[in-house]
Amino acid sequence: MDLYYEQNVVNNNIDERYKKTRTLNIARTICGVIGLFILVSSAMLIELFWVFILMAVPFFAAALILGHINKRNNTEYDYVLDDERLRISEIYFRQRRKLKHTVTLRSIESVGVFESEGYKKAERTAVKKILALVNYEDEKSVVYILFNTDKGKKILFIEPDRGFMISLRRVVSAMTVFDKSIAEFEKTLAKKESELNAVSGGQSDGADTEDGNDLSR
C-alpha cells in the first residue's frame, strides 16, 4: 500500500503580528549593532578587552532571544505521512522550510489526546517533549504521539486534521496504539468537517442563486 498525506498547519496569527514582527526585527538589529560596536571598541582599547566583552554579551543574548521569539511567532508546520514515517517540517516566515523531526511509524507506542488518561501514562515514560503546533490555546485539538528512539521515548505534540488521522490509522495497523480518547477526537473532527462543508455548500448555493438573479435581469 502506497500512502502519502500532507497536512499544512497554517498560523493565522502571522498577518496579525506583522507590526510586532517588524518591531522585534528592528530591536534585534539594534541589539546586534550595539554588541558589534562594543566589540570593535574593545579592539582599540586592548587593556579593557574583557570589560568590553562582558558589556557586549547581554546585547548579543538579547538579539538571539528576540530572534527566537520572532521565529516562533512566525512558524508554521508541514506534516508529511507515508507508509514508513512521519516527517515534520517547520516553515519560517512563510518562506524558509526545514525538516525538524522524523518519526518511524513502527516506533510509535501510543497516540491520544493531550491531557487524556493515556497521555498521563505516556508522559511519565518520555524523556523529551516536542512541540509541532501553532494553536496552544485549544488543548482539545492537540494529539500526542509517544515513540521510541535510541535516546529513549519522546512525545510529539501535533494538531492533526481528519485526513491525517484517517491516514495514520491506515499505516499504523496495531489498534492498541490508539488511546480510547482518539475515538471521541475523531468524531469531533468529523463533526467540524461536516459543519464546514455545510457552510461552504450554503455559501456556494447562495452565490449560484445570486448569479441566476443577475442573469434574469
Side-chain angles (χ1 to χ4, degrees):
M1 177 178 65
D2 294 326
L3 181 142
Y4 180 90
Y5 186 82
E6 181 175 357
Q7 178 187 345
N8 307 116
V9 183
V10 178
N11 188 345
N12 294 318
N13 294 322
I14 289 179
D15 295 327
E16 297 176 5
R17 292 171 176 160
Y18 174 76
K19 291 183 179 179
K20 182 179 180 180
T21 296
R22 188 176 179 183
T23 301
L24 288 176
N25 272 332
I26 293 172
R28 178 192 176 195
T29 301
I30 291 173
C31 288
V33 169
I34 293 175
L36 187 60
F37 175 78
I38 293 173
L39 284 183
V40 172
S41 300
S42 69
M44 295 184 290
L45 296 170
I46 300 299
E47 65 275 10
L48 296 176
F49 177 77
W50 289 109
V51 175
F52 279 99
I53 290 293
L54 292 174
M55 290 173 60
V57 167
F59 289 99
F60 286 126
L64 287 174
I65 293 171
L66 291 172
H68 176 74
I69 293 173
N70 226 5
K71 187 169 76 170
R72 181 169 179 175
N73 287 342
N74 290 273
T75 297
E76 297 175 310
Y77 293 91
D78 269 354
Y79 307 153
V80 177
L81 189 65
D82 59 31
D83 289 324
E84 298 181 358
R85 62 187 65 84
L86 164 63
R87 295 187 296 275
I88 307 288
S89 295
E90 289 186 353
I91 304 168
Y92 311 119
F93 302 96
R94 293 179 175 164
Q95 295 177 344
R96 294 182 288 116
R97 177 191 303 268
K98 184 177 181 180
L99 178 63
K100 293 291 291 184
H101 310 286
T102 300
V103 178
T104 304
L105 297 181
R106 63 174 177 271
S107 71
I108 295 178
E109 285 196 2
S110 178
V111 179
V113 179
F114 177 65
E115 286 300 320
S116 63
E117 288 298 320
Y119 169 71
K120 294 174 182 177
K121 294 178 182 178
E123 185 184 28
R124 290 194 290 267
T125 66
V127 297
K128 185 178 180 180
K129 297 179 180 179
I130 302 169
L131 300 177
L133 47 92
V134 299
N135 183 13
Y136 294 91
E137 288 75 25
D138 186 7
E139 295 181 347
K140 293 181 179 179
S141 68
V142 177
V143 164
Y144 77 86
I145 297 178
L146 177 70
F147 62 101
N148 267 312
T149 71
D150 295 337
K151 297 181 179 179
K153 297 179 182 181
K154 299 180 181 180
I155 290 185
L156 171 68
F157 297 98
I158 61 174
E159 44 184 319
D161 59 18
R162 185 164 180 252
F164 180 94
M165 293 306 304
I166 291 173
S167 299
L168 187 63
R169 279 194 179 275
R170 288 177 180 173
V171 292
V172 179
S173 56
M175 297 302 296
T176 54
V177 165
F178 296 92
D179 182 77
K180 61 182 181 180
S181 61
I182 285 294
E184 191 63 32
F185 176 74
E186 289 176 321
K187 290 180 182 179
T188 301
L189 289 180
K191 183 179 179 181
K192 288 181 179 178
E193 186 176 286
S194 178
E195 291 173 349
L196 185 61
N197 289 336
V199 171
S200 300
Q203 290 176 344
S204 176
D205 292 342
D208 292 342
T209 302
E210 185 177 347
D211 290 343
N213 289 338
D214 289 338
L215 289 172
S216 66
R217 293 182 189 135

